[in-house]
Amino acid sequence: MGERGGAGGAAGPASQQGMRRSNLALVLRVISRTPRSRAEVAAESGLTRAAVSSLAEELIAAGLVVEEGPATPSGKVGRPGTALGLNPDGPAGLGAEIGVEHLGACVVDLRGEVRAWRRQDIRNRGRRPAAVMADLAELVRRAAADAALRPAGLALAVPGLVGAEGALLQRAANLDWRDVAVAAELRLALRAAGAPDLAELPLRADNEANLGGLAELWLGGGPEHFLHVSAEAGIGSAIIVDGRLLRGARGYAGELGHVPVHPEGPRCACGAHGCLEQYAGESAVLRAAGLEGIRGDWVALLAERAEAADEEVRGALDGAGTALGIAAAGAVNLLDPSEVVLGGGYAQLAPWLLPAMRAELAARVTVRPWSHERLTVSRLGRRGPLLGAAVGVVRSLLADPGRLQE
């Protein structure tokens, strides 16, 4: 398949433009795997060498591709061609994150390398969205300046339910926010922070757990089918099926934190009773550990005390692991994932959560084979949502480089 024309007459301008856009993406996809010569790209893509040369020049002009020098010898007669690779100084992905206890911003280049990373510990629960966005906009501005690359888009990770258009945060119980136009608010804050160019970028918000799961798929070596369970203040999950995020009918899939594990249990911030968050969320674990009301990084504090053999903290984490195991077992029986992956704050607390989780999964997943090896820990940990935001921008650009010309 290539730019050779086809049966049925000449294609019109619109279809020719669409074909060229599709072929730009095809060539870039081949190059993104590993540097290739033009001849190798032609052989792998099925396009003619003349078409590849023309498309490559277009990608070079757009700053997406660079010539890296002689290609690796293929063993064929003749001099090796020039290798084409992704441009590390080309358009970049800009990510931002609103957490209950922190803000974050990062920049990732086309090769997936982190070029800037900023984090600010700040308590956002109950703050006005405009005030939070003002602080976040300054952090985003500084990260973009640190990287000195041209962002192709901005993605925002938030701890709540986001509408299908990626612009409206409908509910974030742990922030006490409802119906916040997060995309519009962040654009306003970026302009006020003296970054009007960043305010004009394509901007989309997504649930932090979704982005953490996608980061695990893209960067963490996640399989094609897995359940990613993560926590900061609340508990979320991402369901990956056939290498794609399962969003559900309205984009709300994955609210594992509000699955009831004890229906007659305490009332949750969501309004229901006995939700998983009431047993394995931040407030619940701190209360059980005798640390209710502390400020700062609760995950690091619990890990430090558990490492020091604090029996009350270890008992609290064991109880959280039991509740997590009950909820995870229901998800495993329903979804049949290859793995359950602990991410976010749970990755740091995994040594004390895993024993109870394994026991519950072994006792409750009985209708299909299950082994302890299928409960794993993310290598990305708490960096997942922010990495997922920035890398998602890059992946969208690589999938459709023609949008730079729009």
Side-chain angles (χ1 to χ4, degrees), residues 300-340:
L301 175 63
L302 289 173
E304 179 183 345
R305 296 206 176 187
E307 187 71 40
D310 184 317
E311 290 302 320
E312 195 168 12
V313 168
R314 288 191 174 187
L317 291 173
D318 185 72
T322 296
L324 282 166
I326 293 170
V332 168
N333 284 327
L334 181 66
L335 300 170
D336 189 28
S338 298
E339 293 180 13
V340 174

Side-chain angles (χ1 to χ4, degrees), residues 159-161 171 173-174 207-210 227-239 252-263 265-285 287 298 320 323-331 335 342 346 357:
L161 300 176
R171 184 175 186 182
N174 289 308
N207 175 266
E208 62 172 355
N210 286 343
L227 176 69
H228 184 267
V229 182
S230 59
E232 285 300 329
I235 301 170
S237 71
I239 305 164
Y252 301 155
E255 286 295 306
L256 191 70
H258 298 291
V259 168
V261 292
H262 298 294
R267 187 176 179 85
C268 180
C270 74
H273 287 266
C275 296
L276 176 61
E277 284 193 7
Q278 295 305 299
Y279 301 91
E282 173 193 6
S283 296
V285 179
R287 185 168 55 250
W298 67 281
L324 282 166
I326 293 170
L335 300 170
L342 285 186
Y346 286 153
M357 287 190 71

Side-chain angles (χ1 to χ4, degrees), residues 21-44:
R21 190 164 178 164
S22 175
N23 285 337
L24 274 173
L26 174 59
V27 169
L28 192 58
R29 185 163 61 249
V30 172
I31 293 170
S32 69
R33 298 188 193 114
T34 187
R36 298 276 204 279
S37 69
R38 288 168 173 79
E40 289 171 329
V41 174
E44 190 166 336

